[in-house]
Structure formats: C-alpha cells, structure tokens
Amino acid sequence: MQCDLFLVGEGVRSDPSAVPSNLLSHAVTAEAVGFDTVWLAEHHFIRYGACPSPPVMAASILSRTTRLRVGTAACVLSNRHPVALAEEAVMLDAISDGRFRLGVARGGPWVDVEVFGAGPERLESGFEETLDVLLSWLEGGEVGCSGRFFDFRSVPVLATPSIGLGVWVAATSRGTVDLAAHRGLPLLLGVHSTVEENAGLVRRWREVAEKHGHDPDAAEHGAVFLAYAADNRVEAIERLRIP
C-alpha cells in the first residue's frame, strides 16, 4: 500500500486565486518529504478546491518535480470531449516520463453541463460512451465513433502514452463500478462513503472484473480519507466546513 496526497489547496475561506500556488507549493513539499503521488480534483463554480483544470495544474506540478507522480481525481468526462482529454493526457505522459495518472468521473452538478453545453442527457447516460472513446484513443491506431453522443470519422492517433499512464474511474455506485470492472479499470473511491461501503464496492469490482477476464488482484484502487493540518480537531473541523 502506498500513501498519496489528495490536494485541494483550500479556497473555502481563502482567496480562490491563491489555490493554484498553494497546490504547487504543497506538491513540491509532498515530493520533498517522500510522498509517491498527488491527486487533483476538478471543481467549477464553487470555492472548494477552485481548480477548474487538473491537467493544467498537473503540468505545472510535473514541471517543478522530478519523481512525484500526479493524478487527476478526477477529470469530469461529462464536460469534456474525450479525444481532447486523451490528447492532453498523452502530452502530460510524454513530458513527465510517465509520471501522469488519469482519473475520470461522470461528474456533476447540473450547472456544470448547463454552462459547458453538454446537456443533462450526457451527464445521465453518456459516461460509458465517453469513457470508451477516450480508452480507444489511448490504445492508438485509428479512432472513429458513431454513437449517441459522439459521431466523427475515423482519424489517426498520432501519439500514444507510455506504459506508465493508467486510467482510474471515480465511483460511488454499483453501476459505475460494473462499468470500470468490465474494462479492468481501477477505482477512485471518495470521502462520501464509509469504509464498509467502499469495501463493498471493491468486492463488487472484483466479481465483475474476474467474470470479464481481468485479474482482480492486479488493480491498484485508490480511496480518499479527509485530513486537515490544524492545532486541534475542533479547529480542523471548523476550517473544513464551507461557510
């Protein structure tokens, strides 16, 4: 088991414009003290985290570190074109010598798909198709699509990732767990579920993955546990609460 950091950079009570520099500073410190990986969330229109583009933030961290792996937890597929995200991931993989990790999620809330124009149908029903287009692109060759949400001619994939680039799926429901397990993709489990609930999701993943020919022991799932540096527990809880 390895110990990584899920970086938020605050922004709840502090100036959101300070979040990028905070994330960079925390990541550089994380490498210096021996952490293996840092993970970045994607949030829009709320003060918590205040990081609208994890790939951009990841590029900055990767350029300032030499050993640290950087992952997204997670890029919201419902707001993004999967080919564009896959191309960005391949670039980050190349410039970092394989230190980038790509985590993706269905996402929400409704305001996000309204602002970005994806629409509620994409959020409700488009995650599987979007994920499959992204995975096809990362495999290389030529990719085309004639689906419900994406329809484009076959085009060549000019660059593919190194062996180091992994794809994780953020999951809070059995449906998403099954989708990830079918493809052999490891899970990112959040803070909103109990340890027992997350354990149940992993057991479900193992069952479905094995049925589809994947080694259930090969996946490196990730789970988030909330922590905050403060002088005492009361202060930590108070600062973590959104005002």
Side-chain angles (χ1 to χ4, degrees):
M1 179 184 296
Q2 68 181 40
C3 187
D4 301 340
L5 280 181
F6 179 60
L7 297 182
V8 177
E10 203 175 356
V12 177
R13 296 178 183 275
S14 60
D15 182 357
S17 65
V19 168
S21 60
N22 288 343
L23 289 172
L24 181 57
S25 174
H26 294 167
V28 170
T29 301
E31 179 175 69
V33 299
F35 281 97
D36 297 302
T37 312
V38 295
W39 296 84
L40 305 165
E42 177 178 341
H43 290 144
H44 302 274
F45 321 124
I46 59 173
R47 294 178 66 86
Y48 175 65
C51 181
S53 180
V56 170
M57 194 68 241
S60 180
I61 293 173
L62 290 166
S63 71
R64 289 283 301 275
T65 55
T66 58
R67 177 191 56 81
L68 191 71
R69 293 188 292 267
V70 182
T72 60
C75 286
V76 179
L77 282 187
S78 299
N79 300 336
R80 296 172 174 269
H81 196 290
V83 171
L85 179 59
E87 289 184 321
E88 291 175 2
V90 171
M91 289 182 66
L92 289 170
D93 174 76
I95 65 175
S96 67
D97 295 326
R99 290 189 289 130
F100 180 66
R101 303 290 182 265
L102 178 61
V104 296
R106 180 187 306 274
W110 296 109
V111 65
D112 287 10
V113 292
E114 175 189 339
V115 172
F116 293 111
E121 282 190 305
R122 172 92 180 273
L123 179 62
E124 291 177 339
S125 308
F127 183 60
E128 182 173 6
E129 182 180 324
T130 309
L131 177 62
D132 284 342
V133 173
L134 179 136
L135 294 176
S136 295
W137 191 269
L138 293 177
E139 290 174 359
E142 290 196 357
V143 176
C145 185
S146 180
R148 179 180 174 188
F149 298 95
F150 299 96
D151 187 1
F152 56 89
R153 72 185 74 179
S154 181
V155 291
V157 178
L158 299 180
T160 55
S162 72
I163 196 171
L165 176 60
V167 178
W168 278 255
V169 176
T172 58
S173 67
R174 283 183 53 149
T176 304
V177 168
D178 288 357
L179 185 153
H182 187 179
R183 293 153 180 80
L185 301 176
L187 304 175
L188 292 173
L189 302 168
V191 297
H192 302 295
S193 301
T194 65
V195 172
E196 291 77 16
E197 289 170 338
N198 282 340
L201 293 178
V202 171
R203 286 193 296 270
R204 172 69 180 180
W205 186 95
R206 292 177 61 87
E207 294 173 3
V208 176
E210 192 165 23
K211 287 180 181 178
H212 288 89
H214 302 292
D215 181 358
D217 296 318
E220 296 182 354
H221 304 296
V224 179
F225 299 90
L226 194 61
Y228 191 89
D231 291 334
N232 55 69
R233 180 177 176 82
V234 173
E235 179 185 342
I237 293 174
E238 175 63 24
R239 288 189 62 81
L240 281 170
R241 293 186 189 277
I242 298 176

